[in-house]
Amino acid sequence: MQLSSTIFKAYDIRGVVPSTLTEEVALGLGRAFGTVALSQGQTTVAVGRDGRLSGPALSQALMRGLQEAGVAVIDVGMVTTPMLYFAANTLCQSGIQVTGSHNPRDYNGFKMVMGGRAIYGDDIQALRQMMEAETWTLKAGGSVKTADVFPAYRDRIVGDIQLARRIKIVVDSGNGIAGASAPAILRAIGCDVQELHSTVDGNFPNHHPDPSKPENLRDVIDALAHGDAELGLAFDGDGDRLGIVTKDGTNIYPDRQMMLFAQDVLARVPGGTIIYDVKCSQRLGPAIAAAGGVPLMFKTGHSLIKAKMKEIDSPLGGEMSGHIFFKERWFGFDDGTYAGCRLLEIVSKAADASAVLNALPTSFSTPELNVPCAEGEPHRVVDALVTKADFAAPASVNTIDGLRVDWPDGFGLVRASNTTPVLVLRFEGQTQVALDRIQTAMVALLHSVKPDAHFEKAAH
């Protein structure tokens, strides 16, 4: 097969339809994934798709390839990525979601689970090599059946969540696939729901479904300002990430959400290790420790965090991008709807939900910044920065994922993105003065290695 190498990312396969991602690619992936699955004793694979316009054709080709490899396919239809993960935890152990996540509307891609494990890195490259060489094995015995996972998924969440009182919320699904399920589940746990943009439409006519970008929360903020809802929830295109907005229009970033989730989980799992990525606030680690937990900062990447959680039996993990992973009371996969329900369970115990969230520790910080680079350049730049970094005490250096330097009053981060050829930068200070000082020091170091570096606000 002729393939574009650019579609094989660190955590998934993703490209533009039809220039780099086609039905032929989906067919080849089905054959390769099916071959590997059967070699690992995985005879059944669930397949779902989000609301993108190219989804039906790509998922049909994918299922045809799986079937040709001899796999029993369970077609769960148009669902959120977490609902596909749910199917791969309850109906079988492997699955593929056809999704473009938060990317522009002409993108699509595949998120994969095999034998209960997220597929990433070398596993994705092995699939690529099999597709290019066409060394898959085709055999008879494949089949396709359909299944509706929504009732079991809804009932599992409703049986787990106990609200202390009714709470009125605004829910913006951004015309992504979460609109087909999340509002109904939120009503079922006892919320009054004001819906925005719930109609699934792959043209995304209102705004882009990416709650990590403040401009995509404007409709939620406006609805909260002019109505009687207490909180706003916003979902990304495939429903695995969550945005939270308080009554006064404050965006509660995921690292602050994690402080609340950690307190709650650690009340039942004392001493548990809580994992978070290098982009999270410096205030998160101490908040976890104060709640009786062990904080563990780890690499960015939803597949990497999930694998690390499994390895050390962590009850909770989270990323600054909005992926929250509950193992306590749940399956350990990232799920925006379930995370939203868990948050509502906690804040429903208070008379003023927004006050609980606004009281969480906060700092002065930049949004995520990107520095565009040539293909392959980001990792070279980061290696040079790590070699050159020479910050005097009390600064401490962490190189688990790029270069993160922590001072007593803030931190700076430069890391290489695993999905696009950019450097990812983030700066935080406990005061504006500290933020400015840290940003100046880190940018000076970056310019000493890459003089032409210029900054853009991150796409995600």
Side-chain angles (χ1 to χ4, degrees):
M1 287 187 76
Q2 289 296 305
L3 295 168
S4 167
S5 62
T6 61
I7 66 174
F8 295 91
K9 311 293 188 186
Y11 322 121
D12 53 31
I13 295 171
R14 209 183 313 160
V16 178
V17 180
S19 60
T20 59
L21 201 66
T22 61
E23 290 170 52
E24 185 189 12
V25 173
L27 177 70
L29 175 64
R31 290 169 170 173
F33 188 96
T35 298
V36 176
L38 286 175
S39 75
Q40 296 184 8
Q42 297 291 314
T43 57
T44 307
V45 177
V47 173
R49 59 183 165 86
D50 69 12
R52 285 171 186 262
L53 305 177
S54 58
L58 289 173
S59 67
Q60 284 300 320
L62 175 71
M63 289 189 287
R64 191 165 77 248
L66 287 163
Q67 199 177 355
E68 288 175 2
V71 164
V73 177
I74 304 175
D75 177 5
V76 296
M78 199 162 70
V79 294
T80 63
T81 296
M83 287 169 72
L84 181 277
Y85 293 155
F86 179 80
N89 272 272
T90 56
L91 302 179
C92 54
Q93 292 182 293
S94 300
I96 304 177
Q97 174 78 347
V98 181
T99 176
S101 189
H102 60 276
N103 284 89
R105 68 183 189 180
D106 54 346
Y107 278 73
N108 216 324
F110 308 94
K111 290 183 179 177
M112 298 166 283
V113 177
M114 192 177 298
R117 208 169 54 80
I119 291 287
Y120 64 94
D122 292 344
D123 295 325
I124 289 178
Q125 291 306 317
L127 289 171
R128 169 192 172 180
Q129 287 155 13
M130 184 179 287
M131 290 165 71
E132 284 176 336
E134 299 189 12
T135 51
W136 48 60
T137 304
L138 305 186
K139 58 171 70 173
S143 61
V144 179
K145 69 173 184 178
T146 59
D148 178 5
V149 295
F150 176 73
Y153 174 75
R154 176 198 59 213
D155 294 349
R156 174 68 177 74
I157 294 176
V158 172
D160 179 70
I161 300 292
Q162 296 291 318
L163 295 194
R165 62 181 176 86
R166 286 195 79 80
I167 187 164
K168 184 167 183 182
I169 56 175
V170 176
V171 175
D172 186 346
S173 300
N175 300 107
I177 187 60
S181 57
I185 290 169
L186 290 159
R187 287 194 178 97
I189 66 164
C191 294
D192 296 321
V193 180
Q194 179 185 344
E195 295 184 47
L196 301 176
H197 317 319
S198 291
T199 304
V200 180
D201 183 347
N203 291 304
F204 305 126
N206 292 288
H207 62 75
H208 200 59
D210 183 358
S212 69
K213 307 291 287 175
E215 61 267 26
N216 296 323
L217 299 173
R218 282 195 286 251
D219 293 348
V220 172
I221 292 169
D222 190 58
L224 287 165
H226 294 101
D228 59 351
E230 291 185 55
L231 287 179
L233 275 64
F235 297 105
D236 76 334
D238 66 333
D240 59 7
R241 293 189 297 128
L242 171 72
I244 296 284
V245 181
T246 59
K247 181 69 176 169
D248 62 4
T250 302
N251 181 0
I252 304 297
Y253 285 101
D255 51 0
R256 293 180 78 197
Q257 296 172 32
M258 279 290 291
M259 297 175 192
L260 196 67
F261 290 140
Q263 288 169 7
D264 178 60
V265 168
L266 289 165
R268 291 178 298 278
V269 190
T273 299
I274 311 295
I275 301 179
Y276 56 96
D277 78 321
V278 293
K279 294 196 282 188
C280 286
S281 171
Q282 190 183 61
R283 293 184 181 266
L284 178 53
I288 291 167
V294 178
L296 178 63
M297 186 160 63
F298 197 60
K299 300 172 187 177
T300 293
H302 65 92
S303 300
L304 306 178
I305 298 257
K306 274 183 273 206
K308 189 67 177 175
M309 284 179 68
K310 216 165 210 173
E311 178 195 323
I312 65 167
D313 195 24
S314 164
L316 174 70
E319 284 193 293
M320 191 62 194
S321 60
H323 294 275
I324 308 285
F325 316 87
F326 286 94
K327 185 68 176 76
E328 191 250 0
R329 292 167 45 184
W330 193 241
F331 300 91
F333 59 73
D334 36 337
D335 186 336
T337 299
Y338 182 71
C341 291
R342 287 285 289 254
L343 183 124
L344 291 164
E345 180 181 74
I346 298 166
V347 300
S348 71
K349 296 170 187 166
D352 187 341
S354 287
V356 173
L357 294 168
N358 284 328
L360 294 167
T362 189
S363 294
F364 295 83
S365 62
T366 60
E368 190 176 308
L369 302 169
N370 283 353
V371 174
C373 295
E375 200 72 52
E377 185 185 14
H379 287 282
R380 289 197 300 274
V381 171
V382 167
D383 289 344
L385 290 172
V386 168
T387 302
K388 202 168 182 185
D390 184 23
F391 293 98
S396 64
V397 172
N398 184 314
T399 57
I400 193 166
D401 183 3
L403 175 67
R404 174 166 163 152
V405 186
D406 278 80
W407 285 267
D409 56 355
F411 81 90
L413 171 74
V414 185
R415 60 177 289 274
S417 167
N418 286 314
T419 52
T420 45
V422 298
L423 292 167
V424 176
L425 282 67
R426 189 155 186 264
F427 307 108
E428 176 185 272
Q430 293 182 15
T431 64
Q432 185 65 49
V433 172
L435 171 62
D436 292 344
R437 186 194 82 241
I438 290 166
Q439 184 166 352
T440 300
M442 295 293 284
V443 169
L445 177 66
L446 175 60
H447 278 142
S448 75
V449 170
K450 182 174 167 59
D452 62 345
H454 69 276
F455 303 96
E456 298 175 353
K457 284 226 181 131
H460 159 43

